[in-house]
Amino acid sequence: MRKLSFLLSLLVAFCLFLRPAPSLSQQKFWIEFRDKGIDSACFQPGEPNFDLTTAMLTPACLRRRSHEMGLPELQTVTVEDAPVSRLYLQSLADMGIKTEKMFRWSNAVSASLDAGQIALVRALPFVREVYPVGRAATLSTQPKDASAFTPVIRQNQDMPESNSTCGYDSVIFHYGYAQSQLDRINVPPLHAMGLDATGVRLGFLDTGFRWRETSSLQTRHVLSEYDYVFHDSVTANQTGDDLGQDNHGTSTFSTAMGYEPDSLIGPAYNASVYLAKTEYIPTEHHVEEDNYAAALQDMEAAGVDVTTCSLGYFTFDPPDSSYTYSDLNGHTSICARAAARAAKLGVLMVTAMGNSGRDTLSPHMLTPADADSVISVGALAPDNTIADFSSRGPASDGRMKPEICAPGMAVWVQSVAGVFEPANGTSFATPLVSGACCLIHEAHPEATVQQIRRAIMSTGDNAKHPDTALGWGRMNAYAAALRLGTIIHVKNVSLKGHTVRFCIALADSSGIKSAFIQYHTSKNFSTRLAPLALVADSLIYSCDLAIDPGDTVFYQVLAVSNVGVRTVRPSNVESIEAPSEQIVGAATEQPQLNVSIRYQSDDGILITSNEPMTWRVFDIAGRDVSPGRLQSDSFFSTISTEPLMSGVYYLHVTAQNGQEVLKPMVVIH
């Protein structure tokens, strides 16, 4: 590496010697590198570049990737995730070139170059290509620290309190203007089951968000926000913005997540939110796609589950080149490539088709709706026919588009002026779909993103005859959730004295035959069943369970459908403890899984934990090399290391309650 650094320094010095006089005319370019400056064969756990890359990804990101890809978490980290080579960046800096945005997935940076610099950069041995991406106009060029969004100070959320009695959640009686749009995509049954997107991470990419001053948004769970145009933490309008800059994003945000009872309630009103301002509305340049790609890359690393984007690109202002229909193939545009990569990593991508359906010459979609494995959304008229402005498919490579449709005319939103008003466009059909996707994700955390996508498409009202206008038809959120299997949602568990009341939401496409609380206590480890009874005229089942003072109940829900399918939820055993005195108690958290390793003298390793566990052993390449049979459901186990070669391995331990621990271990013979 030192030799390479020295040679690059000589080459850069030679380029500087030959550099012509600076030109006053500069244009924005992408500089794409040939590699990451590291040996991909050595990109393994324990290697500095690998560990640095892994540190950039949150635990939520790694868990989501592992779940979607069916691989151990560390195996989901690839060279594509590694940062752009610092050596290459320094070489550009030595040439007087200031890089602006960095794209790990594409292994590229953007920079403003003059004609002389373009030729010199193209001549560098580590550069694959240099091509224009548009002007940044008067935008700031300060780079963003890509490790995290700017955190938001949490405000009081003022969420509806859970009812201690079992029955329909009161939220369904207070939709206000949103009643029709939620009814048409069949969201109310999911809300009635207590699903509200709690714990689901939703990312918005739009023009800006004046959420702190908007009554239906100011108490939402905004985790962080970032402005990719001016590179700061303000996504609302500021100096340099068009007066209408943040109106569009605020309206789409309210459509998905507004919460003002009797006026507007969005489908995913209790999701956790990441906000990204990526659009600069006075002009249309490829730099906005740069912003989109950078924001999506950061959101994926932060661990978002679903993204919603009501932006699209096709025609650009001079001197930027516009796309052609043949470019709508899912892998040409900057944003389509980023969207496809995020979808592969387990992000449920929801994006608008666009509003060019009335254009007889180019009624096609905008990118990134052409991306593979995303959910592109068309707009419906009030009579559930396709809105005439909704862009048409297919993608230029023949893939059917859109995937699904939702109301896109007279959709009720809240504007930045605080007014509740109807709005038109696929921009507003899209957040309805993404919000419903959050509910489905909450109902089925075991499902992969592509399983959710297929369930949504297969339950659309045009699924038998999908076409290029409606796609698979109008979304049916409740039917899509049922398509994925039995829905079990612990709506409410309350403790009064020494009686636990369970309120459990249950639904299955074939109906529920029977349901039970499956439990044991800290004083009696034998598993027992307590039957759940249906609450009249609802999807809620309940039972009361008496427990002894000071005892703790560990429980799961067992449901049996009318066709005999048995489903247990949650996967983690929950617990609730009875107080020693007659006071109201609260659910207790499961203790953290603790695993210890002890090396024995007879070619073995003793592992112990505080929870029943299973384990596997992986080598540094992520291959399963577990010696012998899979150990199961014990607090301790001995691993024979005799079949293993000397080296570094990783012990992956999973407890019965779903917690996981990954520990390195060294085998020396």
Side-chain angles (χ1 to χ4, degrees):
M1 182 61 73
R2 289 182 178 177
K3 183 178 179 181
L4 175 61
S5 178
F6 175 72
L7 292 174
L8 286 176
S9 298
L10 287 178
L11 179 60
V12 169
F14 181 68
C15 290
L16 288 174
F17 176 76
L18 295 178
R19 183 174 60 184
S23 168
L24 297 178
S25 176
Q26 288 191 325
Q27 187 178 345
K28 186 100 173 285
F29 285 84
W30 264 34
I31 303 171
E32 184 179 344
F33 302 114
R34 295 185 181 277
D35 52 46
K36 292 288 180 75
I38 55 179
D39 184 353
S40 58
C42 298
F43 192 71
Q44 303 290 345
E47 192 271 331
N49 284 311
F50 183 93
D51 293 343
L52 173 65
T53 300
T54 304
M56 298 169 62
L57 308 175
T58 64
C61 168
L62 293 174
R63 285 195 300 270
R64 188 204 61 243
R65 287 185 177 194
S66 176
H67 176 68
E68 182 71 17
M69 301 168 73
L71 296 171
E73 289 184 3
L74 293 181
Q75 234 181 331
T76 69
V77 183
T78 68
V79 174
E80 286 182 275
D81 298 306
V84 174
S85 169
R86 291 184 179 180
L87 183 59
Y88 298 166
L89 296 178
Q90 185 59 52
S91 297
L92 294 176
D94 291 344
M95 297 173 66
I97 296 170
K98 182 179 180 181
T99 57
E100 299 175 9
K101 292 186 176 67
M102 285 176 279
F103 302 92
R104 291 182 286 111
W105 292 348
S106 300
N107 194 23
V109 296
S110 58
S112 295
L113 305 175
D114 59 35
Q117 290 172 322
I118 295 170
L120 291 175
V121 171
R122 280 194 172 127
L124 295 172
F126 53 83
V127 171
R128 182 189 301 276
E129 185 56 272
V130 180
Y131 48 94
V133 297
R135 298 174 299 167
T138 59
L139 311 187
S140 167
T141 57
Q142 293 300 312
K144 173 188 178 294
D145 179 0
S147 62
F149 277 66
T150 304
V152 171
I153 298 176
R154 294 286 296 278
Q155 304 184 22
N156 293 330
Q157 295 303 309
D158 191 28
M159 296 304 301
E161 295 182 1
S162 298
N163 294 328
S164 59
T165 58
C166 295
Y168 277 107
D169 196 307
S170 61
V171 71
I172 68 172
F173 301 112
H174 297 280
Y175 287 144
Y177 298 115
Q179 182 76 54
S180 174
Q181 59 210 45
L182 297 185
D183 283 344
R184 289 168 64 192
I185 59 173
N186 209 13
V187 160
L190 297 176
H191 281 171
M193 298 181 77
L195 295 160
D196 57 9
T198 294
V200 180
R201 297 176 178 88
L202 175 60
F204 278 85
L205 299 94
D206 217 298
T207 64
F209 310 90
R210 204 180 304 182
W211 61 276
R212 286 180 173 84
E213 302 171 23
T214 304
S215 60
S216 69
L217 298 175
Q218 58 192 200
T219 58
R220 298 309 85 213
H221 291 260
V222 178
L223 296 182
S224 63
E225 57 183 329
Y226 194 81
D227 180 347
Y228 287 80
V229 177
F230 291 108
H231 302 280
D232 57 35
S233 61
V234 181
T235 60
N237 274 11
Q238 54 188 310
T239 303
D241 275 322
D242 184 270
L243 291 178
Q245 176 74 43
D246 57 10
N247 189 49
H248 186 267
T250 303
S251 296
T252 60
F253 188 7
S254 71
T255 307
M257 288 193 58
Y259 183 78
E260 188 161 330
D262 300 317
S263 294
L264 182 70
I265 293 178
Y269 61 87
N270 205 24
S272 299
V273 187
Y274 295 81
L275 301 176
K277 173 185 171 184
T278 64
E279 188 79 357
Y280 184 66
I281 66 173
T283 60
E284 193 78 307
H285 289 291
H286 285 289
V287 67
E288 291 159 319
E289 286 193 271
D290 291 6
N291 297 341
Y292 174 98
L296 192 55
Q297 179 178 269
D298 292 342
M299 284 183 176
E300 190 279 328
V304 298
D305 302 301
V306 182
T307 66
T308 183
C309 180
S310 293
L311 305 172
Y313 304 96
F314 189 78
T315 303
F316 296 92
D317 298 335
D320 291 15
S321 58
S322 297
Y323 291 124
T324 64
Y325 177 68
S326 62
D327 294 323
L328 300 179
N329 52 26
H331 55 78
T332 293
S333 76
I334 298 164
C335 53
R337 295 203 306 268
R341 169 71 176 165
K344 179 182 178 181
L345 296 175
V347 180
L348 185 55
M349 302 290 300
V350 184
T351 190
M353 280 287 287
N355 304 320
S356 58
R358 293 173 181 154
D359 188 336
T360 56
L361 296 178
S362 54
H364 49 70
M365 77 202 80
L366 305 179
T367 191
D370 62 310
D372 190 26
S373 302
V374 307
I375 298 177
S376 55
V377 182
L380 296 175
D383 63 357
N384 291 327
T385 60
I386 193 70
D388 62 350
F389 58 75
S390 187
S391 294
R392 272 40 174 191
S396 64
D397 59 357
R399 285 174 295 116
M400 186 70 73
K401 291 285 180 174
E403 273 75 12
I404 207 71
C405 289
M409 293 180 68
V411 176
W412 284 88
V413 306
Q414 189 175 20
S415 71
V416 292
V419 177
F420 295 98
E421 59 187 17
N424 297 335
T426 57
S427 287
F428 307 105
T430 300
L432 288 174
V433 170
S434 59
C437 286
C438 291
L439 301 180
I440 298 169
H441 181 84
E442 182 187 11
H444 289 286
E446 80 286 354
T448 66
V449 160
Q450 292 311 313
Q451 287 171 338
I452 293 174
R453 178 175 176 265
R454 288 192 293 269
I456 289 170
M457 294 162 64
S458 65
T459 52
D461 66 2
N462 198 42
K464 292 183 179 180
H465 305 286
D467 57 46
T468 58
L470 288 164
W472 280 256
R474 175 163 50 111
M475 185 179 192
N476 186 329
Y478 182 52
L482 290 175
R483 181 61 59 90
L484 291 165
T486 303
I487 304 172
I488 300 179
H489 178 64
V490 180
K491 185 185 178 196
N492 182 268
V493 179
S494 60
L495 178 64
K496 188 171 184 180
H498 300 120
T499 299
V500 183
R501 169 161 289 183
F502 294 91
C503 297
I504 311 296
L506 298 172
D508 186 90
S509 57
S510 69
I512 299 294
K513 181 179 181 180
S514 57
F516 306 89
I517 297 296
Q518 182 173 278
Y519 72 99
H520 69 269
T521 71
S522 55
K523 296 180 180 179
N524 185 343
F525 285 98
S526 61
T527 299
R528 288 168 280 176
L529 297 176
L532 285 159
L534 178 65
V535 176
D537 299 322
S538 74
L539 297 168
I540 310 300
Y541 292 69
S542 72
C543 81
D544 290 344
L545 190 66
I547 58 177
D548 295 333
D551 205 354
T552 301
V553 173
F554 298 88
Y555 69 92
Q556 290 176 300
V557 181
L558 168 64
V560 182
S561 73
N562 280 330
V563 295
V565 176
R566 297 165 63 89
T567 307
V568 176
R569 294 282 189 276
S571 56
N572 296 344
V573 177
E574 302 288 348
S575 66
I576 188 166
E577 182 178 0
S580 299
E581 301 178 357
Q582 293 287 334
I583 59 174
V584 176
T588 59
E589 294 184 0
Q590 279 293 105
Q592 289 295 311
L593 174 61
N594 295 317
V595 176
S596 62
I597 296 177
R598 181 186 304 168
Y599 294 88
Q600 299 176 320
S601 58
D602 53 348
D603 285 330
I605 293 177
L606 176 68
I607 57 173
T608 60
S609 76
N610 61 333
E611 295 286 332
M613 62 176 173
T614 60
W615 56 263
R616 304 299 291 178
V617 175
F618 298 90
D619 63 15
I620 60 173
R623 294 184 291 264
D624 190 338
V625 294
S626 302
R629 298 177 61 188
L630 170 67
Q631 305 299 305
S632 62
D633 301 338
S634 59
F635 289 87
F636 62 90
S637 185
T638 300
I639 301 175
S640 172
T641 58
E642 186 175 358
L644 302 176
M645 298 178 62
S646 297
V648 178
Y649 296 86
Y650 289 87
L651 173 68
H652 183 232
V653 177
T654 304
Q656 277 187 340
N657 62 15
Q659 295 186 60
E660 297 175 287
V661 166
L662 190 69
K663 281 184 171 288
M665 64 183 196
V666 179
V667 174
I668 302 176
H669 293 302

